[in-house]
Amino acid sequence: MTSRALSFGSVAAAYERFRPGYPGALVDAVLAYAGGPVATALEIGAGTGKATRVFAARGLAVTATEPDAAMLAELERHVPDSVRTVRATFEELPLTSTYDLVYAAAALHWTRAEGRWERAAKLLEPGGVLASFGGPLDLADPGLEDAVRCARAPWLADDDVPSPDGTPDSAAMQWPGTELSRSELFTDVRQVELDRRTTVSALDYVGLLSTVSAYLELPPIDREAAFGRILAVLPPQVDVVGDITLHLARLASDG
């Protein structure tokens, strides 16, 4: 796991405050795909529990794992007592328990590529479901998005996390669906798009940017300068597009 992947703990409270949650429609899509009872779930890289809450609210027994102590502490303040928490990276999890569902919310790309799918398969019950979901948080107005890009340019050219397998954004099937489709361990790979839109103040949008790993890697003085320049080009309220791409796959019978 890279230092960028472990950079969020320093802004755990801001992550909880400014990052959007996940809609119930996401859980609906996962459970509909499963097509049968889903009693137990393992969450990889749970962060502050944005996704944990919506799955636990449906009665699933969720084990939420997170390597960063500050993020896990924030999660424990917001999830029900029914959620079991474990401080560990995906790679550190013992392969002694299996689950009906293994899922990750904007976290799977931080896991180590080597052995990723083999480990996920070993954590699933026969016929179990793997779900991965997330998406960029962009301004709905392309002109504003360009203005923000120009404002941050002296300090940061790009704030995206590149696709782990190099799949371009224009491709019909995105990662991790690309790798899952090639894996013999999984079958019935699907990609589902879910709308997620919100309107926030300019200050809250900059607060959201303060939880993005690319900005967290900047020296503090540069980060604050970039945020000041970005805030100067924004109107008081901005519309944010945070559409979710959901990937689903089922453990193959011989997985």
Side-chain angles (χ1 to χ4, degrees):
M1 183 167 280
T2 66
S3 60
R4 185 170 178 178
L6 295 170
S7 63
F8 301 105
S10 62
V11 291
Y15 196 104
E16 173 59 28
R17 177 182 173 186
F18 297 116
R19 289 273 182 139
Y22 290 95
L26 171 69
V27 185
D28 293 339
V30 174
L31 297 182
Y33 171 86
V38 178
T40 59
L42 174 73
E43 182 173 5
I44 301 164
T48 66
K50 294 285 186 176
T52 319
R53 279 162 264 184
V54 291
F55 281 92
R58 297 298 183 90
L60 278 68
V62 178
T63 296
T65 69
E66 166 60 42
D68 187 278
M71 294 289 274
L72 196 61
E74 191 70 31
L75 176 147
E76 289 171 340
R77 282 192 279 270
H78 299 284
V79 300
D81 292 340
S82 61
V83 173
R84 175 175 175 257
T85 59
V86 177
R87 186 185 176 189
T89 65
F90 176 57
E91 294 77 16
E92 291 169 342
L93 291 174
L95 302 177
T96 53
S97 299
T98 54
Y99 305 84
D100 300 323
L101 169 68
V102 172
Y103 71 92
L108 201 58
H109 56 281
W110 297 124
T111 62
R112 188 182 307 146
E114 183 181 0
R116 178 189 287 133
W117 306 125
E118 291 80 3
R119 172 166 280 271
K122 289 176 181 177
L123 288 164
L124 282 167
E125 285 284 327
V129 170
L130 176 68
S132 174
F133 47 89
L137 297 161
D138 297 323
L139 293 169
D141 184 333
L144 273 183
E145 189 69 35
D146 286 341
V148 168
R149 191 176 296 111
C150 290
R152 72 171 188 237
W155 303 277
L156 187 65
D158 189 0
D159 63 1
D160 290 334
V161 177
S163 170
D165 68 351
T167 300
D169 292 341
S170 57
M173 177 63 79
Q174 290 292 303
W175 187 92
T178 46
E179 290 187 4
L180 288 168
S181 296
R182 296 190 294 266
S183 173
E184 295 181 353
L185 296 170
F186 293 91
T187 187
D188 192 20
V189 178
R190 301 185 198 177
Q191 179 173 293
V192 180
E193 305 294 337
L194 300 168
D195 291 341
R196 183 176 59 173
R197 311 292 170 94
T198 187
T199 300
V200 300
S201 70
L203 280 172
D204 279 4
Y205 179 70
V206 172
L208 188 155
L209 293 182
S210 75
T211 71
V212 173
S213 60
Y215 291 94
L216 291 172
E217 289 199 310
L218 293 174
I221 191 170
D222 291 345
R223 188 186 314 139
E224 292 308 311
F227 290 155
R229 188 74 66 86
I230 290 169
L231 192 59
V233 303
L234 294 175
Q237 299 283 318
V238 295
D239 295 325
V240 179
V241 177
D243 292 349
I244 301 163
T245 301
L246 165 65
H247 288 99
L248 295 158
R250 201 180 308 278
L251 184 65
S253 58
D254 56 350

